[in-house]
Amino acid sequence: MSSSPTDDLELAEALRAAVGDLVRRIKPLEAMPAGQLAALGYLGREGALSIADLARRESVRHQSMTRTIGLLAEQGLVTLSPDGLDRRQVVVVITEAGATRLAEARHTRAAAVATALRGLTPEERAIAERIPEILRKLTP
């Protein structure tokens, strides 16, 4: 079964809108700003990173990420230290408190989605179980 470019664009727009709606519904549950949570997420998944690396991943200016990391450090959620190879760079490491806060935020979001999943029919639930795998294939 082949699809036309128009069908692909319509499906792409429907997926984009649905994912956007889901994100907007979950966002108000966040206890911390999205930029701070995103930085913690990268540190939790990837380990220690420089401020420059974090800024590139989030597509923000170095100064903006420096401010974000400063706020996280004030809360005790990350620690900062000079890079061993390049003393001009600062390495950011998530603390135990930061990992706990990240896990709590992830749990809150997952619980909201889990609640919504309970309203699905068995057929819809079977489809929903395949969505994460399919979305990963769509992610470049």
Side-chain angles (χ1 to χ4, degrees):
M1 175 176 155
S2 69
S3 62
S4 72
T6 303
D7 293 341
D8 288 346
L9 285 174
E10 289 172 3
L11 176 57
E13 176 55 23
L15 286 168
R16 185 209 58 75
V19 169
D21 289 346
L22 179 65
V23 169
R24 279 187 292 284
R25 285 189 186 113
I26 292 173
K27 199 169 254 192
L29 303 174
E30 302 296 348
M32 68 186 332
Q36 291 179 29
L37 197 53
L40 283 180
Y42 284 115
L43 295 168
R45 284 187 304 276
E46 300 179 33
L49 293 166
S50 71
I51 290 176
D53 286 336
L54 287 165
R56 276 191 293 278
R57 282 169 173 74
E58 275 297 287
S59 300
V60 298
R61 293 188 351 243
H62 190 279
Q63 295 86 343
S64 297
M65 187 56 68
T66 298
R67 192 170 31 257
T68 296
I69 294 304
L71 293 168
L72 291 171
E74 287 174 11
Q75 298 171 69
L77 303 178
V78 299
T79 58
L80 308 171
S81 59
D83 185 295
L85 300 175
D86 183 352
R87 305 299 271 179
R88 297 169 296 172
Q89 293 282 334
V90 174
V91 175
V92 185
V93 177
I94 192 169
T95 64
E96 188 173 322
T100 298
R101 180 80 64 88
L102 179 60
E104 289 168 352
R106 287 176 174 165
H107 180 267
T108 298
R109 292 182 306 224
V113 174
T115 298
L117 286 170
R118 290 187 203 110
L120 298 179
T121 65
E123 295 79 21
E124 291 169 331
R125 170 91 185 190
I127 293 168
E129 288 174 1
R130 298 199 55 225
I131 291 172
E133 172 192 346
I134 293 167
L135 287 177
R136 284 189 190 96
K137 288 180 179 180
L138 297 176
T139 305

